[in-house]
Amino acid sequence: MKLNILASAGSYPGPGRVCSGYLLSSHDTQVLLDLGNGALSNLLKVIDPKLLSGVIISHAHLDHYADMIGLYHYFKFAHTPPHPVPLYGSSEFFDKFHHLIGIDEDMRSIFSETIITEGGFGKIDNLSIAFSQSNHPPETYISRVSDGKSTFCYSADGDESINLALASNEVDLFLCESTWSKKGSNHPAGLHLDARAAGEIAQRSRVKHLVITHIAYPQDRDEVRVIVSKYFKGRISLAEDLDSYIF
Ligand SMILES: [Zn+2]
Ligand SMILES: [Zn+2]
């Protein structure tokens, strides 16, 4: 599989970084994971959206779906896909998306919608996806993906949970958030991971390659790397917009 980092900023854009977007590819299958504010611009640098096999939106926070409005208008006015593009999301995401766009015949011809539920499964061409809920408000889904050869887990947003430990178990590439370098008094539990927690989860799950993302500006990225490396002994990368990894 190949992972393109489209957008790696946490919660809001940082200098030179935009919000949450990733492209996961296996052979001709190309699945978009999240599309936050600014991410569509980088998606267009990597792929023509008409080639997308499917889209998964992890949760209804704007830094993970704001540019779905732009993608809808690209499809509506620039290139209507020959078949509706599979779109997976929580019921809350679809409520908000429909409120922003409206439901009309264009919407039905552009996306075919599937509501994600706890423990649910998806299939997009040759990719199998297992969804489990993370420890983050609102309803948020971790994705564990396999193409039969390689395995991948995207933490989405969320604090520590049994579901995240299970979903990341022994994956080849673990794309994991660390919004903060160290949790402080203004960082409540049940929202996000810090660098120590991300490293500990990756170590316990025996993942091969840990890619840290969603680091919120102005967290010290060097400090994040140092802390993660204390707790995780495998390969570590910090996601940069437009980087890619093959695994
Ligand atoms: Zn976020
Ligand atoms: Zn969030």
Side-chain angles (χ1 to χ4, degrees):
M1 283 194 266
K2 180 178 183 184
L3 178 69
N4 285 88
I5 308 292
L6 304 172
S8 63
S11 303
Y12 42 83
R17 289 194 177 83
V18 288
C19 285
S20 287
Y22 311 94
L23 184 68
L24 185 66
S25 311
S26 170
H27 303 288
D28 293 333
T29 305
Q30 310 208 69
V31 173
L32 175 63
L33 298 162
D34 287 341
L35 199 67
N37 30 323
L40 178 59
S41 174
N42 284 348
L43 175 70
L44 294 168
K45 292 178 184 172
V46 174
I47 185 179
D48 187 325
K50 71 185 179 187
L51 299 176
L52 287 173
S53 311
V55 179
I56 298 168
I57 301 297
S58 65
H59 66 299
H61 275 160
L62 280 167
D63 63 310
H64 294 257
Y65 81 92
D67 272 14
M68 285 298 292
I69 299 162
L71 183 61
Y72 168 81
H73 287 111
Y74 172 87
F75 281 143
K76 180 168 179 168
F77 296 115
H79 190 107
T80 304
H83 308 288
V85 177
L87 172 60
Y88 289 77
S90 66
S91 56
E92 184 173 355
F93 159 71
F94 283 117
D95 286 347
K96 290 188 173 179
F97 191 46
H98 295 159
H99 178 74
L100 290 166
I101 302 272
I103 305 178
D104 56 17
E105 285 310 307
D106 290 331
M107 179 66 99
R108 292 184 209 287
S109 64
I110 288 171
F111 294 115
S112 80
E113 301 179 353
T114 300
I115 294 174
I116 303 173
T117 55
E118 168 64 16
F121 292 92
K123 180 89 177 156
I124 300 176
D125 294 345
N126 70 325
L127 294 183
S128 303
I129 308 116
F131 297 109
S132 55
Q133 204 163 342
S134 80
N135 182 8
H136 184 74
E139 186 184 356
T140 300
Y141 287 97
I142 303 159
S143 293
R144 181 186 171 102
V145 185
S146 172
D147 67 352
K149 288 183 180 171
S150 302
T151 50
F152 165 85
C153 177
Y154 171 41
S155 67
D157 282 2
D159 206 343
E160 295 181 70
S161 66
I162 290 171
N163 278 353
L164 185 57
L166 293 173
S168 59
N169 189 46
E170 295 189 344
V171 292
D172 295 299
L173 193 150
F174 181 28
L175 177 64
C176 183
E177 75 126 298
S178 172
T179 304
W180 304 309
S181 55
K182 290 180 195 165
K183 275 191 190 172
S185 55
N186 57 338
H187 300 146
L191 274 184
H192 291 294
L193 298 173
D194 65 7
R196 173 177 175 163
E200 286 180 338
I201 293 164
Q203 184 66 23
R204 282 198 297 268
S205 290
R206 298 183 298 276
V207 311
K208 285 192 185 144
H209 183 188
L210 171 62
V211 178
I212 296 288
T213 192
H214 203 273
I215 300 170
Y217 183 79
Q219 302 292 306
D220 183 333
R221 295 173 68 87
D222 291 335
E223 184 183 34
V224 169
R225 183 184 285 278
V226 167
I227 294 171
V228 170
S229 65
K230 272 189 201 166
Y231 298 97
F232 176 63
K233 299 308 173 188
R235 182 181 170 197
I236 300 166
S237 302
L238 266 55
E240 298 280 356
D241 294 16
L242 298 173
D243 272 2
S244 63
Y245 307 99
I246 293 173
F247 57 100

